[in-house]
Amino acid sequence: MSQIPEDLSALTGAELVRVFLDAYDQPRTTKAERAEFFDFKSRVFAAIAERDGNPDAARFAACARADSDLLWAEIAASEALNGGDRS
């Protein structure tokens, strides 16, 4: 997921969709990779919500953030219990 831009503010709506779809199609095998994707998804939908005032996009951003937070918490708990195993 290294091709995902950090700053989404300069992207147009169409560019946001293209970047999101490119990231969506990438395989994710670890919880960390899935959490990173949900972080990105949250940022994309938050950018759309901010630009368009779209309440659905804001809701999708919040759901993606919750999914990401849950995965990061699972990773932290797993590391604490298993001494650093990042499954």
Side-chain angles (χ1 to χ4, degrees):
M1 298 206 27
S2 60
Q3 297 173 346
I4 295 175
E6 281 297 315
D7 182 15
L8 301 177
S9 63
L11 300 178
T12 66
E15 290 169 331
L16 278 173
V17 171
R18 223 171 325 189
V19 169
F20 175 74
L21 291 175
D22 286 345
Y24 183 83
D25 287 337
Q26 300 302 312
R28 286 169 283 287
T29 57
T30 67
K31 285 183 181 181
E33 289 172 337
R34 291 191 304 273
E36 289 171 358
F37 172 73
F38 283 120
D39 284 340
F40 171 68
K41 182 178 179 180
S42 174
R43 292 187 310 118
V44 167
F45 281 100
I48 292 169
E50 185 177 313
R51 290 178 190 177
D52 301 339
N54 184 325
D56 289 332
R59 186 171 41 90
F60 293 143
C63 289
R65 173 58 52 203
D67 289 339
S68 172
D69 290 346
L70 179 62
L71 285 165
W72 287 123
E74 288 178 8
I75 290 167
S78 177
E79 288 178 351
L81 292 172
N82 298 322
D85 181 23
R86 283 190 143 219
S87 298

